[in-house]
Amino acid sequence: MSSPSGSPAVRPTRVQLLVTCLVDHFSPDTAEAVVRVLEREGVEVVVPEDQTCCGQPACNAGARADAVAMAKHTIAVLERDPSPVVIPSGSCTDMLVHQAPALLAGEPEWAERARTVAARTYEFTQFVVDVLGVTDLPCTASGTLAYHACCHGLRGVGIDAQPRRLLEHVSGARVVPLPEHDTCCGFGGLFAIKMPDISGAMLERKCRQIAAAGADTIVVTDVSCAMHMQGGLDRQAQAVRVRHIADILAGGTA
């Protein structure tokens, strides 16, 4: 599944970066990696200073009024610039592409504004592969990589082939399959807080599959899943790192 209107006819030379809350607070290096990758491809990256949470957690929690307010603010911020919107998160991409238009469906003016922004919003790997038409980035890593498909990216936005194609071309690294790569790690936003026992059991299963893969690094498209899995692996003393794909594609050491 691509963005509703598909890829633009002309290769963009400028994008807006919606950093996302978790990247901003816990993994700012990932945002810088996104910028490096896009700038190497000749794309100018601008970061709207007054961006806030897109409303995804509130939407996930059923706090509709809060989700609507944050979605409207995000749309108002992003519609000031006609450039495509790039997001290093499948969860927040799904929020802007699918959930915000649904939340605002009863307000015709806002619904149209939401659809307009959604039509030019892309998850990071989706933008690189589907819009820029690039799969072979000039990046180098070492060791063994395995890909875990994050739920919102896979099931909400249809992201799967894009990150795999990019990882296939990482120089110096070997990519191995991760058993049950498309099974949830147990994070699920507020799910991990509301149902910690079930979330913990899912994480234990994911950590067993990671051990079976024999990879040095697990690659994901959402920092939320990376933090959840890294916590489980650290508690098990597994010497495996979980990294956002932008950190790999920017050329850092895996």
Side-chain angles (χ1 to χ4, degrees):
M1 186 186 306
S2 62
S3 192
S5 65
S7 301
V10 179
R11 191 181 197 269
T13 58
R14 171 187 168 100
V15 300
Q16 301 181 83
L17 176 61
L18 184 66
V19 177
T20 81
C21 299
L22 292 183
V23 169
D24 187 29
H25 289 282
F26 298 106
S27 189
D29 288 351
T30 296
E32 294 178 2
V34 169
V35 173
R36 288 199 298 275
V37 170
L38 294 177
E39 287 184 342
R40 279 194 318 218
E41 294 303 312
V43 178
E44 177 190 5
V45 181
V46 297
V47 183
E49 292 185 355
D50 47 353
Q51 63 179 273
T52 62
C53 176
C54 64
Q56 196 275 345
C59 183
N60 190 18
R64 182 183 179 85
D66 291 337
V68 166
M70 286 184 272
K72 285 182 175 179
H73 174 77
T74 302
I75 291 165
V77 169
L78 297 175
E79 68 184 358
R80 293 200 296 259
D81 188 321
S83 303
V85 178
V86 174
I87 308 176
S89 161
S91 295
C92 301
T93 302
D94 180 64
M95 176 64 192
L96 281 189
V97 171
H98 298 297
Q99 306 310 322
L103 281 171
L104 299 169
E107 301 180 60
E109 178 188 349
W110 275 104
E112 178 59 27
R113 293 168 69 176
R115 288 192 294 269
T116 299
V117 171
R120 53 184 172 86
T121 295
Y122 306 90
E123 185 273 341
F124 167 64
T125 63
Q126 181 187 37
F127 182 80
V128 172
V129 174
D130 296 346
V131 178
L132 297 183
V134 175
T135 57
D136 190 358
L137 291 166
C139 57
T140 301
S142 61
T144 307
L145 311 176
Y147 174 67
H148 163 79
C150 300
C151 290
H152 275 114
L154 176 64
R155 298 174 178 84
V157 190
I159 301 302
D160 190 43
Q162 296 91 337
R164 294 179 182 281
R165 293 180 68 185
L166 291 166
L167 290 177
E168 287 173 357
H169 292 92
V170 175
S171 177
R174 183 168 66 96
V175 180
V176 298
L178 174 64
E180 300 183 3
H181 74 281
D182 57 352
T183 299
C184 179
C185 66
F187 177 67
L190 297 177
F191 172 78
I193 299 173
K194 291 182 175 180
M195 300 182 180
D197 292 340
I198 297 176
S199 171
M202 295 171 73
L203 178 59
E204 289 286 332
R205 184 184 180 103
K206 177 60 66 178
C207 289
R208 287 198 298 273
Q209 302 303 336
I210 290 174
D216 305 310
T217 302
I218 303 301
V219 183
V220 298
T221 54
D222 268 87
V223 165
S224 55
C225 302
M227 294 171 62
H228 188 64
M229 286 190 282
Q230 190 67 67
L233 292 167
D234 288 349
R235 286 191 291 275
Q236 293 185 359
Q238 286 200 46
V240 180
R241 297 182 67 192
V242 186
R243 302 186 71 193
H244 192 281
I245 191 169
D247 297 319
I248 303 297
L249 299 177
T253 302

